[in-house]
Amino acid sequence: MQSIKRSLAILNGQTPHSRAKGTGMTETPDMLQTAASPDIILPPPRHTELGIMRSVEVQAASALPEQADAVIIGAGICGVLTACNLAKQGKKIVVLEKGEIACESSSKAFGWVSQLLNSVHKVKLTRRSKSLWRELQQEIGDLGYREQSISYFAESAEEFAFYQEWLASVQPEADTDIQILAADQVGQLAPEFTGQCYGAITAPSDGCIEPVLTTAAVAEYAKRLGVVFVTHCAARGLDIQNRQVKGVFTEKGYIRTSQAVSAVNTWTRIFCAHHGIDVPQLYVVMSMGRVEDFQGGPAGCGGKGAFAWRKQVDGGYSLGLVTGMSAPISRDALRLFNKFLPIQKMLGGSKGVKINFGQNTLNDWKIKRSWNHHHSSPFEAHRVFTGTVDLSAAESSKQQMAAYFPELKNQPIAEHWCGTVAFTQDNAPIASAVQDIEGFYVLMASGYGFSWGPALAEMLSGMMLGLPEHPDADTFRLSRFSDGTVLEPQL
């Protein structure tokens, strides 16, 4: 508890370690326009027995409860938000996590909350998620969420035309403040910009979160609502009797429940396959880095193919690549090659997704695919699965970005990290009950968990509570992969 309180105080510039110049916050009613300030210090990575953790530590229960109304498997942002929603309705919720809270993708994400260049159904999810982030931040306190714009620069006339076509295609679902800027207007978007481009698209009300803080802060809130978190506790599988969930087998024993949610992100295919459920899912590894605060950098978030940035609340910058993620040649990649070929082409082929035959591939092939509930599972053998860092990714992003923002050129990379990004066959999320297994649900964001997670968690928790069906629930059902109605792959 003290660690998260300290970090949230740091976020507001209220600790002895902060310079005594005030909070560094712009006073607005909803606190969404958080000004970057050197007075704000984000907590450094932690060295633990599980490796380096980027998330703030959250204290969890040591013992497994005997019973729960629902068990959430996975303490990433989607699982934690679902737990909050259910607990608010008086449900007794237990969240199981094989490692630490937010130890994988949720603490290693890039941090954008964006609707730009996404399909219509994802645009709708993002708009709802932004509304939910505002509500949650007003209720809990500062989560590091702010709406300070995301922009893409066009590298070619064709790309600029694509921006225009995309904006026309998603109206009226997209925010009305999205703008297309011609080349001679880009300077008004970023006065420090010195490069050449064909124009840009910008969404002023899109924004970002701080991955090291946000999930931990929501988890602390969930604990106040009565949610019990049990960490270092892998869920080995479900107890299914007569096609109904009766409980969950874990490494710490058995817990009775009538509802269970797989919110395990990268592990979705493996966990579900253990119960005979085929989820067409693969993952890529995205390497990132950061530089410390410096003068002359751009505000908000943005990028183009060769680079991407997110300005942090402490004034530093997270750096990565819009394209060029590493795709391990896993067993599933070979099995699902034809199904995922459209997505690979959509993401730019070999330039957009780099095929990897190195350590990431070796790590994946070591994961066993069958086990007994009463013996060790692959989730215990791989408590934190994030891939191998490509040290060149952040440096390449920095050099490419420096051509447009020269003050960045001589800034050293202060930290490197990587995380996995999971995708479904149609690149769309899953928020669904599982057919033929009463009480089992699957939740998977498929990409930007912080952009879609709040809306998906709201949708799934509504299903679990027996509320009227969400109007978009049919779009994200799991059965679309087996009944021939899979979506057309889109960004």
Side-chain angles (χ1 to χ4, degrees), residues 191-461:
E192 305 87 355
F193 186 80
T194 63
Q196 298 294 318
C197 68
Y198 284 82
I201 185 170
T202 182
S205 63
D206 276 2
C208 58
I209 54 85
E210 288 295 341
V212 300
L213 295 176
T214 303
T215 305
V218 178
E220 288 289 0
Y221 174 64
K223 287 168 60 178
R224 295 197 295 273
L225 295 172
V227 175
V228 176
F229 289 87
V230 186
T231 55
H232 293 80
C233 182
R236 292 174 172 172
L238 305 178
D239 179 13
I240 300 171
Q241 302 176 27
N242 297 320
R243 310 308 297 173
Q244 293 181 330
V245 171
K246 297 296 183 180
V248 180
F249 298 101
T250 85
E251 65 176 294
K252 291 187 176 182
Y254 180 83
I255 178 170
R256 290 181 287 108
T257 188
S258 60
Q259 292 186 316
V261 179
S262 167
V264 296
N265 194 40
T266 309
W267 296 93
T268 301
R269 179 170 172 80
I270 293 176
F271 185 84
C272 288
H274 186 61
H275 298 286
I277 303 160
D278 183 23
V279 180
Q281 174 227 8
L282 295 177
Y283 68 91
V284 296
V285 176
M286 184 169 68
S287 293
M288 295 152 277
R290 66 174 175 87
V291 298
E292 304 289 0
D293 178 36
F294 71 97
Q295 298 299 314
C301 310
K304 54 197 282 299
F307 67 82
W309 82 83
R310 176 179 65 84
K311 191 161 190 178
Q312 303 172 168
V313 293
D314 63 353
Y317 286 85
S318 291
L319 303 176
L321 306 173
V322 175
T323 60
M325 294 173 283
S326 172
I329 301 301
S330 63
R331 281 170 285 185
D332 289 326
L334 296 177
R335 292 189 184 105
L336 301 174
F337 178 80
N338 288 332
K339 289 184 177 181
F340 277 80
L341 193 57
I343 287 185
Q344 184 182 6
K345 292 179 179 178
M346 179 185 67
L347 294 174
S350 60
K351 292 183 179 179
V353 180
K354 298 178 181 178
I355 303 302
N356 180 281
F357 293 94
Q359 190 61 50
N360 289 328
T361 294
L362 294 176
N363 291 341
D364 187 278
W365 280 78
K366 292 177 182 178
I367 300 173
K368 63 181 181 180
R369 301 305 175 100
S370 62
W371 62 94
N372 184 294
H373 293 152
H374 303 291
H375 298 92
S376 181
S377 70
F379 314 116
E380 292 144 84
H382 307 273
R383 292 193 186 274
V384 181
F385 189 75
T386 58
T388 302
V389 180
D390 178 0
L391 298 178
S392 69
E395 186 63 37
S396 174
S397 177
K398 186 189 79 169
Q399 295 301 326
Q400 295 288 339
M401 187 174 167
Y404 297 85
F405 302 97
E407 295 298 324
L408 177 63
K409 185 174 183 179
N410 296 321
Q411 304 299 318
I413 304 294
E415 179 191 0
H416 296 269
W417 72 93
C418 70
T420 55
V421 181
F423 298 94
T424 60
Q425 175 186 343
D426 55 10
N427 198 29
I430 301 171
S432 176
V434 176
Q435 285 187 336
D436 300 326
I437 303 180
E438 183 179 342
F440 185 33
Y441 301 83
V442 175
L443 179 60
M444 179 190 158
S446 188
Y448 293 118
F450 288 100
S451 290
W452 311 318
L456 292 170
E458 178 184 56
M459 190 182 302
L460 188 76
S461 56

Side-chain angles (χ1 to χ4, degrees), residues 150-171:
I150 292 181
S151 308
Y152 282 114
F153 301 112
E155 298 181 279
S156 65
E158 291 77 14
E159 192 167 37
F160 186 64
F162 171 70
Y163 293 169
Q164 295 173 308
E165 293 168 3
W166 171 81
L167 185 55
S169 72
V170 296
Q171 299 296 352

Side-chain angles (χ1 to χ4, degrees), residues 160-193:
F160 186 64
F162 171 70
Y163 293 169
Q164 295 173 308
E165 293 168 3
W166 171 81
L167 185 55
S169 72
V170 296
Q171 299 296 352
E173 301 296 345
D175 285 331
T176 58
D177 62 353
I178 298 176
Q179 304 172 56
I180 301 288
L181 302 178
D184 60 357
Q185 296 175 303
V186 173
Q188 71 187 48
L189 176 66
E192 305 87 355
F193 186 80

